[in-house]
Amino acid sequence: MTTRWLSPEEQRAWRAYIAASRLLEDAIDRQLQQEGGMPHLFYSVLANLSDAPDRQLRMTDLAETLKITRSRLTYAVTRLERDGLVRRENCRWDKRGSLAVLTDEGVAVLERTAPGHVETVRALLFDRLTPEQVGQLEEICTGIAQGLQGENESAAAAAEDVPWRRRSGSCSGSSPAE
Amino acid sequence: MTTRWLSPEEQRAWRAYIAASRLLEDAIDRQLQQEGGMPHLFYSVLANLSDAPDRQLRMTDLAETLKITRSRLTYAVTRLERDGLVRRENCRWDKRGSLAVLTDEGVAVLERTAPGHVETVRALLFDRLTPEQVGQLEEICTGIAQGLQGENESAAAAAEDVPWRRRSGSCSGSSPAE
DNA sequence: ACAGCTTGGTTCAAGTTTGAAACAAACCTA
DNA sequence: TAGGTTTGTTTCAAACTTGAACCAAGCTGT
């Protein structure tokens, strides 16, 4: 079949998206690097741990919610561990498992860093969006993300006998947002 | 001033955005790596050159439209040059300058790779958006991008005597989209 | 109880990105 | 026109990412 190229509208949207996402991530990385000494992803690791029950999470679960590979997470946690912000513990239920635990120092760093980060996200993104646009953005991104995960999961599910997975419960938590 | 945290809606939107952009870039990178042997950024370099008059662009201009640092572009072009897809020439007007020129082989690779790429972008993004959402996405991203550049440029402009810059003309071109 | 498959994590090398120099050519300005 | 600043680009080391092994521990069927 002959390729269906992007329409002018799609093309404009695509280019705008690329530009915006590149600029936004760069800006946020720079801010976090300066004020927190770490890239955005590492901050997200801390933020996610702080939201988790007991401030700890299994590596795979964390990687999954962050949408990154396990090896990338291993690197991040290793670095954060070296800096004393996270500690590793082995999972008692599953001897293969490894838990990343947020240390007190990690909490402190997170609390010190969060305001500047949120301020930045606000200034660069939300202050420039109307409430409707916030809703639109969420809807668009949720759909896209679902589609992208759905692929893997449905493929995986189709290849599996058991379609539902049991996972350690997450949820709740009121802490320095991300 | 006490930090204004993100509202629940903003928080949801932010998380969804992070997830979507991470998954999307990963998927696109994987596709392009497999079928074209290069990451998305490198493809974009080729695509942008192919749109340019004479299939050539100054390094700085290219970096600017791609929203990346000059040193990042230097690396990309060096690699593409090693692979024979791009060639460097020195700018005659400005002996400091360097031009990146798309080679015939570069054109060929681009033409061979573009359909799969566009197909992917379509499947992962546009096929999941209504026409209105495409418009919304463009508007949102354009605004954000402008804001993010505006900062630098207005800061730079404020620090300059001459507010407008002369740049080699760009525009036009009908080629394997990006 | 054991062979074989799956899952959770890490390791390692190769590739890419970052940011701060280093350079050279162009552009003032006195 | 010499000296000082700015602009265009590259270089270099350190940091980060990727993907393909690899290893150990759980699970399965026999």
Side-chain angles (χ1 to χ4, degrees):
Chain A
M1 181 186 83
T2 123
T3 311
R4 283 182 308 145
W5 301 104
L6 300 185
S7 71
E9 296 79 38
E10 291 170 329
Q11 193 140 157
R12 285 201 308 274
W14 180 237
R15 284 197 221 265
Y17 167 74
I18 299 283
S21 62
R22 219 109 84 182
L23 291 168
L24 189 54
E25 253 307 276
D26 281 8
I28 289 178
D29 262 330
R30 251 192 316 282
Q31 185 271 323
L32 236 21
Q33 193 71 58
Q34 289 183 343
E35 298 182 23
M38 64 180 113
H40 187 194
L41 178 66
F42 291 33
Y43 174 90
S44 298
V45 168
L46 300 186
N48 270 271
L49 286 176
S50 105
D51 272 357
D54 258 339
R55 286 176 179 160
Q56 58 180 47
L57 241 27
R58 300 256 326 228
M59 294 297 278
T60 294
D61 293 337
L62 189 44
E64 207 160 289
T65 72
L66 289 173
K67 270 71 182 147
I68 60 173
T69 60
R70 298 205 254 347
S71 93
R72 192 177 175 187
L73 178 59
T74 292
Y75 179 82
V77 167
T78 302
R79 209 267 234 175
L80 290 170
E81 195 173 27
R82 163 172 64 69
D83 294 350
L85 311 187
V86 160
R87 172 170 31 90
R88 261 186 249 250
E89 259 175 47
N90 1 20
C91 182
R92 266 191 233 65
W93 310 284
D94 185 344
K95 280 179 194 162
R96 295 167 299 182
S98 198
L99 293 168
V101 190
L102 190 61
T103 65
D104 290 345
E105 197 183 339
V107 175
V109 168
L110 188 55
E111 280 172 353
R112 173 159 60 63
T113 315
H117 172 59
V118 174
E119 214 47 69
T120 305
V121 173
R122 205 175 247 319
L124 301 184
L125 184 63
F126 293 111
D127 281 354
R128 300 176 187 283
L129 297 183
T130 65
E132 303 83 61
Q133 287 183 310
V134 174
Q136 295 167 359
L137 182 62
E138 184 197 342
E139 198 147 337
I140 290 172
C141 291
T142 306
I144 299 307
Q146 275 181 354
L148 281 157
Q149 316 218 249
E151 270 174 30
N152 307 329
E153 291 190 9
S154 63
E160 266 182 64
D161 294 326
V162 186
W164 300 285
R165 313 203 35 201
R166 25 65 204 150
R167 279 245 162 270
S168 55
S170 51
C171 288
S172 96
S174 68
S175 50
E178 144 69 351
Chain B
M1 183 185 80
T2 124
T3 310
R4 284 181 309 145
W5 300 103
L6 299 185
S7 71
E9 296 80 36
E10 290 170 330
Q11 194 140 155
R12 286 200 309 275
W14 180 236
R15 284 198 220 263
Y17 167 74
I18 299 283
S21 62
R22 219 109 83 182
L23 291 168
L24 189 55
E25 253 308 276
D26 281 8
I28 290 179
D29 262 329
R30 251 193 314 282
Q31 185 272 324
L32 236 20
Q33 192 72 56
Q34 289 183 344
E35 297 181 24
M38 62 180 115
H40 187 194
L41 178 65
F42 291 33
Y43 174 90
S44 298
V45 169
L46 300 186
N48 270 270
L49 286 176
S50 106
D51 273 357
D54 258 339
R55 286 176 180 162
Q56 58 180 50
L57 240 28
R58 299 256 328 229
M59 294 296 280
T60 294
D61 292 337
L62 190 44
E64 206 159 292
T65 73
L66 289 172
K67 270 75 181 140
I68 61 174
T69 60
R70 299 199 264 328
S71 92
R72 192 177 176 187
L73 179 60
T74 293
Y75 180 83
V77 167
T78 302
R79 209 266 234 178
L80 291 169
E81 194 172 28
R82 161 169 70 68
D83 294 350
L85 311 187
V86 160
R87 171 170 32 89
R88 262 186 249 250
E89 260 175 46
N90 0 23
C91 182
R92 264 189 235 69
W93 309 284
D94 184 344
K95 282 178 193 162
R96 294 168 297 184
S98 198
L99 293 168
V101 190
L102 191 61
T103 65
D104 290 345
E105 197 183 339
V107 174
V109 167
L110 188 55
E111 279 171 354
R112 173 160 60 63
T113 315
H117 171 60
V118 173
E119 215 47 70
T120 304
V121 172
R122 206 175 246 319
L124 301 183
L125 185 62
F126 293 111
D127 280 355
R128 301 177 186 280
L129 298 182
T130 65
E132 302 82 63
Q133 286 182 311
V134 174
Q136 294 167 0
L137 182 63
E138 184 197 342
E139 198 148 336
I140 290 172
C141 291
T142 307
I144 299 307
Q146 277 182 353
L148 280 156
Q149 318 217 249
E151 272 174 28
N152 308 328
E153 291 190 9
S154 63
E160 266 183 62
D161 294 325
V162 186
W164 299 285
R165 316 209 24 210
R166 26 68 205 145
R167 280 244 162 269
S168 56
S170 52
C171 288
S172 97
S174 68
S175 50
E178 143 67 348

